[in-house]
Amino acid sequence: MKKNILKKVFTIVITIALLFYYVPEECYADSQIDSINKQEYIISSKNNIKSMKLKKISSCDDMFEGSLSKNEVQKLKKEGAVVEKDIQLRASGKERKLNKDKNKVKEIWNYLMINVDQGIEVSNSAKKIKIAVLDSGIDRGNTIPKGYHNITDEDTAPWYFEDMTGHGTSVSGIIQNIVPNAEIYSVKVLDSENKTQLSKVVEGIYWCIENDIKVINMSFGTLQYSKILEQAVDDAYKAGIIMVASAGNKDEQGIDYPAAFEKVISVGAVDSQGEKTEESSKGKGLDIMAPGKQVVSDGLYGTNIVVGGTSIATPHVTGAVALILQKNVEVSPNFVKELLLQSAKKIGDKNCTGSGLLDVEYALANYEEFVNKYEETTIDNDVGLLSENDTPIKTAETDLVEGSWKDHYVLFDDAIAGKYNGTQQDLQKIKLGSVMPDKILSLKEGMFPTFHGRNNYIANTIALTRLAVKGNSCTVNSISSDPTEVSNAKGMICYLRTLAPEQWREGGVPGTPSEADKKLYYYGMAIHVATDAVAHHSFGWQDNAWRHAQHTGSYGWADNPEKFRYRYDYSKHIAYRIVRAYVAGNQASYKTFVPDDTALRNTMLNSVIFKMENITRNAKRVNSSVVSDNEAMTFFNKYNYNYTHNYGSSSK
């Protein structure tokens, strides 16, 4: 009883402490804000200022340094002191925040392509533009939002870890990389399945109007027109708000709303070669293009992740808008839109690429010229006010992967080569299922990490094959001894049961699949989950340390089949075991992750050059009796890496 009471007291104390630490500034009284917003200063004063607890600069009686609030600064100045911000000085030379070495370019190619310095330093006098990210929320990690507003029906506790999908966190990360001093507000309108209702979007837009937001990022959309949504957009436009929205990932089906509205800047996606991505929507109403494939941004809990789609292209333009507003926050939405469109690089047909590729540097360099020539007449200013931007596009060779081995098709073919004599038609459907998590936008790594080897990959693999076997009667309450892992598996199952026909088509299915076909696709998805775990959640022995597969730089070998050869052979074997489970009408088990090919198992046990993240723990959680399975435990213990979020370990 005493332990329970102490536990409750401890929980209450920690909760109160977190609330005090994380509450947005607008929730504090003025005096509290003043004490929180202290900055570093250097002070010259002949008066006695010991009461402010400042540090005296060595060998100088009248010089001090320390943190001061605005009130304290004003008080010192009234007393005759000289107070200046303790600015940073550096060697005279121009450099980017990140070095442009070969591997780093792969990570920041998107910023180089649009000619903007990622993490560019801004002066203290630069205006802090208020940006609202209408999305799935923003986790406190790499980005620290100025404030939160949740419009969904979901309770997020604690609220500073509110993003259940990672979508909004990735979007906001790109914005802050372009505009580090932006005041980003999380307006949560998408739920844990990245869905929302029209009413919530409209409510979010009006919240932005009431709270003096200057830019709204909307990385979502629908093909269905709404007059109510258009009215909300019109009202925001009249309030001087600049709206940026994703054109959609529907190729020839047209531009999504709200992006399709004339008063919104619609954004399509290009790859690292400056070419429109296959899925990026095209048609009337497309305004501008930005990077939207194999882009590195913020993941959940302060990690990094590779993401793509017009959702990710959109925040690049939002960041550019904010940089323009820092020059003059009073310019009209149409001014900003036209400056961006007329400074874009022409890269193709207007129907496919709009006005061209975003060029931040060109827009800012020609800002003054545009100001002198621009006239606020109509929304669509057809007169060209700037010289055509014909500078070359900075392309890059990227091999970043959005959540899978480079080619699951090849992996699948290698796995069953010469071993399977069943129905080829069924096998092709399993094969298609093995790539669906990379084809269906809402299942991609940035949206649904559990489909890409995250969390307990053994439990998730079993869950998908159980769904294949049991269909609508499938339950996963016993999938793991860990409640969070059960919840993850339930999320996967529930979402797959609600996939819309257009999502199946997005995955490559010609029409609405039958229940029998769905089961085949589920087996394929299970292969994707299991083999992605080997690709992205394993550790390899290199340079006398265990290196995480996701580690960047010279250790970025996650999707390289040639790196640690037995790792790829192991992955192929898992894929084949899942195909065998389908043939037998069975679900997977922890045994699926133990090679039953004696030669392969002995070879792997004799040469351990890679390990699997928490494989022993994962196996025990799905079936505690695994401890009595000597063959399985011998393999698991030899190949287990207890992940402690350190990328290196000194012992083998």
Side-chain angles (χ1 to χ4, degrees), residues 135-139 148-166 187-197 200 448 487 491 495:
D135 216 290
S136 58
I138 301 173
D139 274 359
Y148 296 83
H149 183 61
N150 184 3
I151 300 175
T152 70
D153 297 324
E154 295 179 336
D155 291 327
T156 54
W159 49 262
Y160 45 85
F161 286 146
E162 63 171 1
D163 187 2
M164 301 304 292
T165 68
V187 182
K188 183 176 171 65
V189 297
L190 300 180
D191 61 19
S192 57
E193 294 182 351
N194 277 334
K195 296 179 180 178
T196 189
Q197 293 172 285
K200 298 188 186 306
F448 223 134
S487 177
Y495 191 77

mmCIF file of all heavy atoms in Angstrom, residues 135-139 148-166 187-197 200 448 487 491 495:
data_model
loop_
_atom_site.group_PDB
_atom_site.id
_atom_site.type_symbol
_atom_site.label_atom_id
_atom_site.label_comp_id
_atom_site.label_asym_id
_atom_site.label_seq_id
_atom_site.Cartn_x
_atom_site.Cartn_y
_atom_site.Cartn_z
ATOM 1 N N ASP A 135 -1.969 19.605 -38.698
ATOM 2 C CA ASP A 135 -1.475 18.269 -39.012
ATOM 3 C C ASP A 135 -1.809 17.296 -37.882
ATOM 4 O O ASP A 135 -2.786 17.500 -37.162
ATOM 5 C CB ASP A 135 0.038 18.320 -39.268
ATOM 6 C CG ASP A 135 0.477 17.365 -40.356
ATOM 7 O OD1 ASP A 135 0.437 16.154 -40.118
ATOM 8 O OD2 ASP A 135 0.848 17.831 -41.452
ATOM 9 N N SER A 136 -0.953 16.284 -37.723
ATOM 10 C CA SER A 136 -1.192 15.231 -36.733
ATOM 11 C C SER A 136 -0.597 15.561 -35.374
ATOM 12 O O SER A 136 -0.601 14.720 -34.476
ATOM 13 C CB SER A 136 -0.599 13.904 -37.236
ATOM 14 O OG SER A 136 0.789 14.041 -37.477
ATOM 15 N N GLY A 137 -0.109 16.792 -35.222
ATOM 16 C CA GLY A 137 0.538 17.181 -33.974
ATOM 17 C C GLY A 137 2.040 17.277 -34.178
ATOM 18 O O GLY A 137 2.574 16.926 -35.234
ATOM 19 N N ILE A 138 2.740 17.745 -33.168
ATOM 20 C CA ILE A 138 4.202 17.858 -33.215
ATOM 21 C C ILE A 138 4.760 17.357 -31.894
ATOM 22 O O ILE A 138 4.413 17.864 -30.827
ATOM 23 C CB ILE A 138 4.649 19.315 -33.437
ATOM 24 C CG1 ILE A 138 4.072 19.876 -34.747
ATOM 25 C CG2 ILE A 138 6.172 19.401 -33.456
ATOM 26 C CD1 ILE A 138 4.339 21.361 -34.938
ATOM 27 N N ASP A 139 5.618 16.356 -31.952
ATOM 28 C CA ASP A 139 6.290 15.900 -30.745
ATOM 29 C C ASP A 139 7.424 16.840 -30.391
ATOM 30 O O ASP A 139 8.173 17.272 -31.264
ATOM 31 C CB ASP A 139 6.870 14.496 -30.950
ATOM 32 C CG ASP A 139 5.853 13.418 -30.674
ATOM 33 O OD1 ASP A 139 4.727 13.754 -30.311
ATOM 34 O OD2 ASP A 139 6.196 12.234 -30.839
ATOM 35 N N TYR A 148 0.354 24.770 -28.596
ATOM 36 C CA TYR A 148 -0.424 23.628 -29.068
ATOM 37 C C TYR A 148 -1.916 23.951 -29.057
ATOM 38 O O TYR A 148 -2.399 24.655 -28.168
ATOM 39 C CB TYR A 148 -0.199 22.403 -28.172
ATOM 40 C CG TYR A 148 1.198 21.852 -28.155
ATOM 41 C CD1 TYR A 148 2.179 22.397 -27.333
ATOM 42 C CD2 TYR A 148 1.537 20.769 -28.958
ATOM 43 C CE1 TYR A 148 3.461 21.884 -27.302
ATOM 44 C CE2 TYR A 148 2.820 20.244 -28.938
ATOM 45 C CZ TYR A 148 3.775 20.803 -28.108
ATOM 46 O OH TYR A 148 5.045 20.286 -28.079
ATOM 47 N N HIS A 149 -2.629 23.387 -30.026
ATOM 48 C CA HIS A 149 -4.088 23.477 -30.012
ATOM 49 C C HIS A 149 -4.637 22.205 -30.649
ATOM 50 O O HIS A 149 -4.438 21.951 -31.837
ATOM 51 C CB HIS A 149 -4.581 24.710 -30.774
ATOM 52 C CG HIS A 149 -6.070 24.886 -30.731
ATOM 53 N ND1 HIS A 149 -6.757 25.057 -29.548
ATOM 54 C CD2 HIS A 149 -7.009 24.903 -31.716
ATOM 55 C CE1 HIS A 149 -8.047 25.186 -29.808
ATOM 56 N NE2 HIS A 149 -8.225 25.085 -31.119
ATOM 57 N N ASN A 150 -5.314 21.394 -29.856
ATOM 58 C CA ASN A 150 -5.815 20.097 -30.322
ATOM 59 C C ASN A 150 -7.296 20.199 -30.654
ATOM 60 O O ASN A 150 -8.124 20.469 -29.788
ATOM 61 C CB ASN A 150 -5.580 19.038 -29.237
ATOM 62 C CG ASN A 150 -5.990 17.648 -29.687
ATOM 63 O OD1 ASN A 150 -6.412 17.440 -30.830
ATOM 64 N ND2 ASN A 150 -5.856 16.683 -28.799
ATOM 65 N N ILE A 151 -7.625 19.960 -31.931
ATOM 66 C CA ILE A 151 -9.024 20.030 -32.368
ATOM 67 C C ILE A 151 -9.619 18.634 -32.531
ATOM 68 O O ILE A 151 -10.818 18.480 -32.663
ATOM 69 C CB ILE A 151 -9.122 20.823 -33.692
ATOM 70 C CG1 ILE A 151 -8.577 22.242 -33.479
ATOM 71 C CG2 ILE A 151 -10.548 20.938 -34.191
ATOM 72 C CD1 ILE A 151 -8.510 23.072 -34.743
ATOM 73 N N THR A 152 -8.794 17.605 -32.498
ATOM 74 C CA THR A 152 -9.311 16.242 -32.663
ATOM 75 C C THR A 152 -10.042 15.798 -31.401
ATOM 76 O O THR A 152 -10.002 16.465 -30.368
ATOM 77 C CB THR A 152 -8.171 15.254 -32.954
ATOM 78 O OG1 THR A 152 -7.370 15.090 -31.769
ATOM 79 C CG2 THR A 152 -7.305 15.744 -34.097
ATOM 80 N N ASP A 153 -10.675 14.654 -31.500
ATOM 81 C CA ASP A 153 -11.372 14.088 -30.340
ATOM 82 C C ASP A 153 -10.445 13.216 -29.507
ATOM 83 O O ASP A 153 -10.872 12.609 -28.523
ATOM 84 C CB ASP A 153 -12.569 13.250 -30.817
ATOM 85 C CG ASP A 153 -13.599 14.098 -31.546
ATOM 86 O OD1 ASP A 153 -13.789 15.258 -31.143
ATOM 87 O OD2 ASP A 153 -14.197 13.602 -32.517
ATOM 88 N N GLU A 154 -9.186 13.121 -29.920
ATOM 89 C CA GLU A 154 -8.239 12.261 -29.218
ATOM 90 C C GLU A 154 -7.594 13.019 -28.067
ATOM 91 O O GLU A 154 -7.164 14.164 -28.222
ATOM 92 C CB GLU A 154 -7.146 11.771 -30.170
ATOM 93 C CG GLU A 154 -7.657 10.881 -31.266
ATOM 94 C CD GLU A 154 -6.546 10.434 -32.210
ATOM 95 O OE1 GLU A 154 -5.519 11.132 -32.299
ATOM 96 O OE2 GLU A 154 -6.724 9.392 -32.841
ATOM 97 N N ASP A 155 -7.531 12.363 -26.931
ATOM 98 C CA ASP A 155 -6.798 12.921 -25.803
ATOM 99 C C ASP A 155 -5.338 12.518 -25.950
ATOM 100 O O ASP A 155 -5.023 11.337 -26.100
ATOM 101 C CB ASP A 155 -7.334 12.385 -24.472
ATOM 102 C CG ASP A 155 -8.731 12.910 -24.182
ATOM 103 O OD1 ASP A 155 -9.009 14.055 -24.574
ATOM 104 O OD2 ASP A 155 -9.529 12.162 -23.590
ATOM 105 N N THR A 156 -4.456 13.480 -25.929
ATOM 106 C CA THR A 156 -3.028 13.188 -26.033
ATOM 107 C C THR A 156 -2.380 13.537 -24.706
ATOM 108 O O THR A 156 -2.348 14.681 -24.296
ATOM 109 C CB THR A 156 -2.384 14.016 -27.163
ATOM 110 O OG1 THR A 156 -2.686 15.394 -26.961
ATOM 111 C CG2 THR A 156 -2.904 13.578 -28.511
ATOM 112 N N ALA A 157 -1.891 12.510 -24.021
ATOM 113 C CA ALA A 157 -1.277 12.744 -22.723
ATOM 114 C C ALA A 157 0.078 12.040 -22.690
ATOM 115 O O ALA A 157 0.157 10.840 -22.922
ATOM 116 C CB ALA A 157 -2.166 12.203 -21.612
ATOM 117 N N PRO A 158 1.154 12.728 -22.391
ATOM 118 C CA PRO A 158 1.203 14.178 -22.249
ATOM 119 C C PRO A 158 1.109 14.871 -23.596
ATOM 120 O O PRO A 158 1.480 14.295 -24.611
ATOM 121 C CB PRO A 158 2.581 14.418 -21.624
ATOM 122 C CG PRO A 158 3.402 13.260 -22.112
ATOM 123 C CD PRO A 158 2.462 12.095 -22.178
ATOM 124 N N TRP A 159 0.645 16.115 -23.587
ATOM 125 C CA TRP A 159 0.368 16.805 -24.842
ATOM 126 C C TRP A 159 1.606 17.113 -25.653
ATOM 127 O O TRP A 159 1.538 17.320 -26.848
ATOM 128 C CB TRP A 159 -0.420 18.089 -24.602
ATOM 129 C CG TRP A 159 0.133 18.988 -23.542
ATOM 130 C CD1 TRP A 159 -0.279 19.067 -22.243
ATOM 131 C CD2 TRP A 159 1.213 19.914 -23.657
ATOM 132 N NE1 TRP A 159 0.471 19.978 -21.556
ATOM 133 C CE2 TRP A 159 1.397 20.522 -22.390
ATOM 134 C CE3 TRP A 159 2.042 20.298 -24.701
ATOM 135 C CZ2 TRP A 159 2.373 21.469 -22.151
ATOM 136 C CZ3 TRP A 159 3.024 21.247 -24.455
ATOM 137 C CH2 TRP A 159 3.178 21.818 -23.192
ATOM 138 N N TYR A 160 2.779 17.151 -25.018
ATOM 139 C CA TYR A 160 3.990 17.477 -25.780
ATOM 140 C C TYR A 160 4.527 16.248 -26.525
ATOM 141 O O TYR A 160 5.516 16.334 -27.237
ATOM 142 C CB TYR A 160 5.070 18.083 -24.880
ATOM 143 C CG TYR A 160 5.263 17.360 -23.567
ATOM 144 C CD1 TYR A 160 6.086 16.255 -23.484
ATOM 145 C CD2 TYR A 160 4.604 17.792 -22.418
ATOM 146 C CE1 TYR A 160 6.257 15.597 -22.293
ATOM 147 C CE2 TYR A 160 4.771 17.138 -21.214
ATOM 148 C CZ TYR A 160 5.592 16.039 -21.152
ATOM 149 O OH TYR A 160 5.750 15.386 -19.975
ATOM 150 N N PHE A 161 3.885 15.081 -26.382
ATOM 151 C CA PHE A 161 4.122 13.926 -27.252
ATOM 152 C C PHE A 161 2.779 13.557 -27.858
ATOM 153 O O PHE A 161 2.190 12.523 -27.572
ATOM 154 C CB PHE A 161 4.688 12.748 -26.456
ATOM 155 C CG PHE A 161 6.120 12.920 -26.055
ATOM 156 C CD1 PHE A 161 6.577 12.420 -24.857
ATOM 157 C CD2 PHE A 161 7.015 13.574 -26.880
ATOM 158 C CE1 PHE A 161 7.902 12.569 -24.483
ATOM 159 C CE2 PHE A 161 8.343 13.740 -26.507
ATOM 160 C CZ PHE A 161 8.785 13.235 -25.309
ATOM 161 N N GLU A 162 2.264 14.440 -28.703
ATOM 162 C CA GLU A 162 0.898 14.300 -29.189
ATOM 163 C C GLU A 162 0.812 13.658 -30.572
ATOM 164 O O GLU A 162 -0.262 13.273 -31.011
ATOM 165 C CB GLU A 162 0.237 15.682 -29.272
ATOM 166 C CG GLU A 162 0.916 16.610 -30.274
ATOM 167 C CD GLU A 162 0.139 17.899 -30.529
ATOM 168 O OE1 GLU A 162 -0.917 18.093 -29.922
ATOM 169 O OE2 GLU A 162 0.593 18.684 -31.369
ATOM 170 N N ASP A 163 1.937 13.543 -31.273
ATOM 171 C CA ASP A 163 1.909 13.082 -32.665
ATOM 172 C C ASP A 163 2.004 11.561 -32.713
ATOM 173 O O ASP A 163 3.073 10.987 -32.531
ATOM 174 C CB ASP A 163 3.072 13.720 -33.438
ATOM 175 C CG ASP A 163 3.021 13.429 -34.923
ATOM 176 O OD1 ASP A 163 2.073 12.761 -35.355
ATOM 177 O OD2 ASP A 163 3.923 13.875 -35.643
ATOM 178 N N MET A 164 0.894 10.906 -33.025
ATOM 179 C CA MET A 164 0.854 9.451 -33.015
ATOM 180 C C MET A 164 1.369 8.831 -34.315
ATOM 181 O O MET A 164 1.624 7.633 -34.376
ATOM 182 C CB MET A 164 -0.572 8.965 -32.757
ATOM 183 C CG MET A 164 -1.163 9.447 -31.443
ATOM 184 S SD MET A 164 -0.164 9.011 -29.999
ATOM 185 C CE MET A 164 -0.376 7.225 -29.991
ATOM 186 N N THR A 165 1.518 9.620 -35.371
ATOM 187 C CA THR A 165 1.940 9.066 -36.654
ATOM 188 C C THR A 165 3.307 9.566 -37.113
ATOM 189 O O THR A 165 3.943 8.934 -37.952
ATOM 190 C CB THR A 165 0.929 9.412 -37.765
ATOM 191 O OG1 THR A 165 0.969 10.818 -38.025
ATOM 192 C CG2 THR A 165 -0.473 9.005 -37.365
ATOM 193 N N GLY A 166 3.753 10.690 -36.595
ATOM 194 C CA GLY A 166 5.023 11.255 -37.021
ATOM 195 C C GLY A 166 4.914 12.214 -38.186
ATOM 196 O O GLY A 166 5.882 12.882 -38.551
ATOM 197 N N VAL A 187 -1.332 22.785 -34.578
ATOM 198 C CA VAL A 187 -2.797 22.760 -34.576
ATOM 199 C C VAL A 187 -3.200 21.359 -35.025
ATOM 200 O O VAL A 187 -3.196 21.036 -36.209
ATOM 201 C CB VAL A 187 -3.386 23.833 -35.509
ATOM 202 C CG1 VAL A 187 -4.906 23.820 -35.454
ATOM 203 C CG2 VAL A 187 -2.859 25.213 -35.117
ATOM 204 N N LYS A 188 -3.487 20.513 -34.066
ATOM 205 C CA LYS A 188 -3.722 19.092 -34.348
ATOM 206 C C LYS A 188 -5.131 18.877 -34.903
ATOM 207 O O LYS A 188 -6.115 19.006 -34.180
ATOM 208 C CB LYS A 188 -3.522 18.264 -33.078
ATOM 209 C CG LYS A 188 -3.673 16.749 -33.271
ATOM 210 C CD LYS A 188 -3.345 16.026 -31.970
ATOM 211 C CE LYS A 188 -3.700 14.549 -32.041
ATOM 212 N NZ LYS A 188 -2.886 13.830 -33.020
ATOM 213 N N VAL A 189 -5.190 18.546 -36.192
ATOM 214 C CA VAL A 189 -6.476 18.259 -36.831
ATOM 215 C C VAL A 189 -6.557 16.824 -37.335
ATOM 216 O O VAL A 189 -7.646 16.300 -37.557
ATOM 217 C CB VAL A 189 -6.757 19.227 -38.003
ATOM 218 C CG1 VAL A 189 -6.868 20.657 -37.509
ATOM 219 C CG2 VAL A 189 -5.691 19.113 -39.082
ATOM 220 N N LEU A 190 -5.397 16.163 -37.531
ATOM 221 C CA LEU A 190 -5.378 14.776 -38.001
ATOM 222 C C LEU A 190 -5.296 13.834 -36.803
ATOM 223 O O LEU A 190 -4.560 14.082 -35.849
ATOM 224 C CB LEU A 190 -4.183 14.541 -38.924
ATOM 225 C CG LEU A 190 -4.097 15.387 -40.199
ATOM 226 C CD1 LEU A 190 -2.845 15.009 -40.988
ATOM 227 C CD2 LEU A 190 -5.332 15.203 -41.061
ATOM 228 N N ASP A 191 -6.024 12.721 -36.889
ATOM 229 C CA ASP A 191 -6.020 11.765 -35.787
ATOM 230 C C ASP A 191 -4.886 10.752 -35.944
ATOM 231 O O ASP A 191 -4.003 10.920 -36.789
ATOM 232 C CB ASP A 191 -7.382 11.061 -35.679
ATOM 233 C CG ASP A 191 -7.727 10.266 -36.938
ATOM 234 O OD1 ASP A 191 -6.816 9.949 -37.737
ATOM 235 O OD2 ASP A 191 -8.921 9.964 -37.133
ATOM 236 N N SER A 192 -4.907 9.691 -35.147
ATOM 237 C CA SER A 192 -3.820 8.715 -35.138
ATOM 238 C C SER A 192 -3.768 7.873 -36.398
ATOM 239 O O SER A 192 -2.861 7.057 -36.563
ATOM 240 C CB SER A 192 -3.951 7.799 -33.913
ATOM 241 O OG SER A 192 -5.208 7.158 -33.909
ATOM 242 N N GLU A 193 -4.739 8.058 -37.291
ATOM 243 C CA GLU A 193 -4.705 7.402 -38.593
ATOM 244 C C GLU A 193 -4.481 8.420 -39.706
ATOM 245 O O GLU A 193 -4.708 8.145 -40.885
ATOM 246 C CB GLU A 193 -5.999 6.628 -38.841
ATOM 247 C CG GLU A 193 -6.190 5.449 -37.888
ATOM 248 C CD GLU A 193 -7.461 4.666 -38.182
ATOM 249 O OE1 GLU A 193 -8.274 5.136 -39.012
ATOM 250 O OE2 GLU A 193 -7.633 3.600 -37.591
ATOM 251 N N ASN A 194 -4.054 9.601 -39.326
ATOM 252 C CA ASN A 194 -3.832 10.707 -40.272
ATOM 253 C C ASN A 194 -5.094 11.084 -41.030
ATOM 254 O O ASN A 194 -5.053 11.438 -42.213
ATOM 255 C CB ASN A 194 -2.713 10.367 -41.261
ATOM 256 C CG ASN A 194 -1.344 10.651 -40.694
ATOM 257 O OD1 ASN A 194 -1.191 11.494 -39.813
ATOM 258 N ND2 ASN A 194 -0.351 9.939 -41.162
ATOM 259 N N LYS A 195 -6.202 11.033 -40.347
ATOM 260 C CA LYS A 195 -7.482 11.407 -40.938
ATOM 261 C C LYS A 195 -8.099 12.548 -40.144
ATOM 262 O O LYS A 195 -7.756 12.772 -38.981
ATOM 263 C CB LYS A 195 -8.451 10.211 -40.954
ATOM 264 C CG LYS A 195 -7.986 9.046 -41.826
ATOM 265 C CD LYS A 195 -8.994 7.906 -41.759
ATOM 266 C CE LYS A 195 -8.568 6.733 -42.621
ATOM 267 N NZ LYS A 195 -9.518 5.600 -42.536
ATOM 268 N N THR A 196 -9.020 13.251 -40.772
ATOM 269 C CA THR A 196 -9.727 14.320 -40.074
ATOM 270 C C THR A 196 -11.044 14.580 -40.775
ATOM 271 O O THR A 196 -11.315 14.031 -41.842
ATOM 272 C CB THR A 196 -8.891 15.615 -40.046
ATOM 273 O OG1 THR A 196 -9.526 16.564 -39.185
ATOM 274 C CG2 THR A 196 -8.761 16.230 -41.434
ATOM 275 N N GLN A 197 -11.861 15.423 -40.151
ATOM 276 C CA GLN A 197 -13.127 15.824 -40.749
ATOM 277 C C GLN A 197 -13.031 17.270 -41.224
ATOM 278 O O GLN A 197 -12.247 18.062 -40.704
ATOM 279 C CB GLN A 197 -14.271 15.700 -39.727
ATOM 280 C CG GLN A 197 -14.570 14.260 -39.333
ATOM 281 C CD GLN A 197 -15.566 14.193 -38.180
ATOM 282 O OE1 GLN A 197 -15.239 14.452 -37.031
ATOM 283 N NE2 GLN A 197 -16.801 13.850 -38.523
ATOM 284 N N LYS A 200 -13.207 20.027 -38.652
ATOM 285 C CA LYS A 200 -12.016 20.261 -37.831
ATOM 286 C C LYS A 200 -10.997 21.118 -38.590
ATOM 287 O O LYS A 200 -10.310 21.954 -37.998
ATOM 288 C CB LYS A 200 -11.417 18.931 -37.391
ATOM 289 C CG LYS A 200 -12.369 18.107 -36.521
ATOM 290 C CD LYS A 200 -11.693 16.897 -35.952
ATOM 291 C CE LYS A 200 -12.697 16.007 -35.219
ATOM 292 N NZ LYS A 200 -13.459 16.719 -34.188
ATOM 293 N N PHE A 448 3.447 5.257 -40.712
ATOM 294 C CA PHE A 448 3.065 4.064 -39.956
ATOM 295 C C PHE A 448 4.312 3.208 -39.717
ATOM 296 O O PHE A 448 4.528 2.196 -40.389
ATOM 297 C CB PHE A 448 2.019 3.275 -40.750
ATOM 298 C CG PHE A 448 0.878 2.756 -39.927
ATOM 299 C CD1 PHE A 448 -0.431 2.901 -40.356
ATOM 300 C CD2 PHE A 448 1.113 2.113 -38.725
ATOM 301 C CE1 PHE A 448 -1.497 2.418 -39.603
ATOM 302 C CE2 PHE A 448 0.067 1.624 -37.963
ATOM 303 C CZ PHE A 448 -1.243 1.777 -38.400
ATOM 304 N N SER A 487 -1.125 -2.835 -28.403
ATOM 305 C CA SER A 487 -1.775 -1.669 -28.997
ATOM 306 C C SER A 487 -1.251 -1.403 -30.410
ATOM 307 O O SER A 487 -2.016 -1.078 -31.325
ATOM 308 C CB SER A 487 -1.546 -0.442 -28.110
ATOM 309 O OG SER A 487 -2.107 0.708 -28.682
ATOM 310 N N GLY A 491 -3.447 -1.486 -33.832
ATOM 311 C CA GLY A 491 -3.492 -0.358 -34.756
ATOM 312 C C GLY A 491 -3.288 -0.803 -36.192
ATOM 313 O O GLY A 491 -3.969 -0.323 -37.109
ATOM 314 N N TYR A 495 -6.364 -0.634 -38.958
ATOM 315 C CA TYR A 495 -6.190 0.239 -40.118
ATOM 316 C C TYR A 495 -6.339 -0.535 -41.424
ATOM 317 O O TYR A 495 -6.970 -0.061 -42.371
ATOM 318 C CB TYR A 495 -4.825 0.925 -40.076
ATOM 319 C CG TYR A 495 -4.710 2.021 -41.107
ATOM 320 C CD1 TYR A 495 -5.330 3.248 -40.894
ATOM 321 C CD2 TYR A 495 -4.021 1.828 -42.294
ATOM 322 C CE1 TYR A 495 -5.259 4.265 -41.838
ATOM 323 C CE2 TYR A 495 -3.940 2.839 -43.245
ATOM 324 C CZ TYR A 495 -4.568 4.048 -43.005
ATOM 325 O OH TYR A 495 -4.511 5.041 -43.937
#
